[in-house]
Amino acid sequence: MNTLDAPEWLDRSAYPFKLRTFKTRAGQMHYVAEGDGEPVVFVHGNPSWSYMYRRQIQDLSSNFRCIACDHLGFGLSDKPPGAGYHPRDHAERFDRFMDAVESEPVHLVVHDWGGPIGLSWALAHPGRVKSLVVLNTWFWSLADKKAARRFSGILGSSPLQFAMRRFGVFEHRLMRHSFADKGKYRASESHYRRPFSRAADRAGVAEFPRQVVGASPWLDGLWQQRNVIADKPASIFWAMEDPVFRKAELERWRVVLPEARVEKIPGVGHYVAEEMGSELSSRLRDHIAAI
């Protein structure tokens, strides 16, 4: 294990963790592993990184081993322009990462693209999953959804790909729009913009919107295996002000995980962990205690 020096912009009072790295063929992935006890693994989406889970890691690491990586192209990880940023590539790297850092069964917490990426690993290694926590995510094809096709088509177009890569439109504007409490976005905004301060650093962020529909064959392959995780102890904490994942996606999760504890969280937008903070930590403690 190697470590990183903290960039000057990183608020170490908010994110006081040891900065560790895991080597992949395409570059170094940054991760944190704090505390001792049953492992809790947090998987992020777009354009977030392990910083989003900082409050939960601080709150829970007194009793649990909290692990969170930054996908390649995100956060403090390397951002090689020519790397594979298809979600399948992230999933393959996450699989190797998990082999390297944790051998015990884990409580897996997934959000946004962290759902397909984390659940790809869970479906391949069900014996290593002690429980699941779902935060406004999915892992099935959205090709039949008009809104998804429109979103992916527009953001996958040449003008919007240019805007995302050149001007950081996703983390500057689209992320803010997805918060119910815009004040919470403003309070943390710099830590979601600074990792992508150069156009060359935004390849991963720009690729994910294209793959909302583009990755449909891979996503459908995951969906076909859904029964593998159907009996896992699970909680679904669903933010009700999310403009991305709404009632239809929640109802589908009820089918996938019929015995899951479901809590609808009012007044919270898409970036659940950022908006809920320690309130989510309490729910995670309750979830683990109930298993």
Side-chain angles (χ1 to χ4, degrees):
M1 179 207 71
N2 296 316
T3 59
L4 288 175
D5 293 329
E8 55 85 21
W9 52 262
L10 181 61
D11 181 351
R12 296 297 274 156
S13 63
Y15 192 85
F17 316 124
K18 187 172 184 178
L19 310 182
R20 308 166 188 262
T21 62
F22 169 73
K23 185 177 181 180
T24 77
R25 289 190 293 270
Q28 296 279 357
M29 284 175 59
H30 163 258
Y31 74 100
V32 298
E34 297 285 315
D36 294 299
E38 294 182 42
V40 183
V41 176
F42 300 88
V43 194
H44 74 82
N46 194 28
S48 52
W49 54 292
S50 55
Y51 181 82
M52 184 180 71
Y53 295 116
R54 66 196 179 281
R55 294 188 188 93
Q56 294 82 39
I57 294 169
Q58 289 194 68
D59 292 342
L60 297 177
S61 59
S62 56
N63 301 104
F64 304 98
R65 174 169 155 85
C66 296
I67 300 166
C69 71
D70 300 344
H71 304 310
L72 202 71
F74 293 81
L76 304 184
S77 290
D78 288 347
K79 302 172 182 67
Y85 291 119
H86 190 287
R88 179 182 56 246
D89 298 319
H90 290 298
E92 290 170 355
R93 287 187 290 262
F94 182 74
D95 192 298
R96 292 193 292 274
F97 166 75
M98 289 298 293
D99 280 348
V101 304
E102 187 52 64
S103 59
E104 296 297 316
V106 309
H107 303 283
L108 186 67
V109 182
V110 295
H111 172 255
D112 190 79
W113 275 106
I117 293 166
L119 291 173
S120 174
W121 173 82
L123 291 165
H125 308 282
R128 296 173 64 185
V129 179
K130 191 165 187 177
S131 77
L132 296 170
V133 176
V134 173
L135 309 173
N136 291 58
T137 184
W138 89 113
F139 73 113
W140 50 83
S141 170
L142 297 174
D144 61 339
K145 301 294 184 182
K146 182 178 179 180
R149 293 196 305 272
R150 184 171 183 270
F151 174 87
S152 198
I154 292 173
L155 270 69
S157 67
S158 295
L160 266 294
Q161 283 285 301
F162 175 80
M164 284 188 290
R165 292 170 187 256
R166 179 67 179 84
F167 302 112
V169 167
F170 201 108
E171 63 273 20
H172 291 194
R173 297 193 179 184
L174 296 179
M175 187 178 192
R176 179 176 66 243
H177 174 70
S178 297
F179 274 69
D181 184 341
K182 301 300 189 285
K184 290 187 176 179
Y185 170 75
R186 288 190 293 272
S188 58
E189 178 180 8
S190 66
H191 282 77
Y192 293 113
R193 294 178 59 173
R194 291 300 293 271
F196 311 110
S197 57
R198 304 180 306 155
D201 294 336
R202 300 181 184 125
V205 173
E207 186 62 22
F208 268 141
R210 286 162 33 103
Q211 296 302 333
V212 168
V213 171
S216 292
W218 179 72
L219 290 164
D220 189 59
L222 299 181
W223 177 249
Q224 298 306 318
Q225 303 173 64
R226 61 191 180 277
N227 287 342
V228 172
I229 59 170
D231 62 347
K232 293 294 179 184
S235 290
I236 301 170
F237 302 125
W238 201 258
M240 298 305 292
E241 301 301 320
D242 186 352
V244 181
F245 297 111
R246 305 183 72 92
K247 182 179 178 180
E249 288 76 28
L250 174 57
E251 293 309 311
R252 197 158 190 176
W253 275 110
R254 290 181 185 272
V255 173
V256 176
L257 301 170
E259 301 302 319
R261 166 192 179 187
V262 178
E263 286 195 39
K264 298 179 180 180
I265 313 296
V268 173
H270 179 65
Y271 293 93
V272 185
E274 185 67 56
E275 290 200 54
M276 290 187 70
S278 292
E279 184 182 347
L280 177 60
S281 306
S282 296
R283 284 174 163 81
L284 291 173
R285 284 188 184 277
D286 291 345
H287 162 82
I288 294 170
I291 295 169

